[in-house]
Amino acid sequence: LRMKIIKEKNGKCEKCGDNKNLQVDHIKAIVNGGKMFEESNLQVLCIKCHQSKTRRDLNVKKIKNQTQEELKRFVEIESEKQ
């Protein structure tokens, strides 16, 4: 499903247009009632945009002293929970 969604979205982040480090994200988070495999609830984001959205979704205003790698792992862990 991941590759299908990325291909349908032209292989680009829907927020910034980047074509690297793409991830499929739930528009409405599962914890907020979003459907896990509903294609209309999925969007393609680069890791940077996905991290920003995840912080907003989790109401985290600022993550202090985090390296880029730690933020990447944070997003991966949250994605695995879904």
Side-chain angles (χ1 to χ4, degrees), residues 41-54:
N41 189 41
L42 300 174
Q43 65 182 346
V44 176
L45 298 176
C46 68
I47 193 165
K48 184 177 178 181
C49 291
H50 193 182
Q51 289 169 345
S52 292
K53 181 182 176 291
T54 298

Side-chain angles (χ1 to χ4, degrees), residues 11-60:
K12 295 181 180 178
C13 174
E14 294 183 59
K15 297 290 181 190
C16 73
D18 194 357
N19 64 353
K20 297 180 181 109
N21 299 311
L22 298 176
Q23 301 179 338
V24 176
D25 172 61
H26 295 95
I27 296 167
K28 183 175 182 181
I30 303 302
V31 297
N32 294 329
K35 303 293 182 192
M36 183 170 294
F37 298 111
E38 187 174 298
E39 291 184 32
S40 64
N41 189 41
L42 300 174
Q43 65 182 346
V44 176
L45 298 176
C46 68
I47 193 165
K48 184 177 178 181
C49 291
H50 193 182
Q51 289 169 345
S52 292
K53 181 182 176 291
T54 298
R55 284 192 297 272
R56 284 190 312 271
D57 286 348
L58 298 175
N59 294 320
V60 176

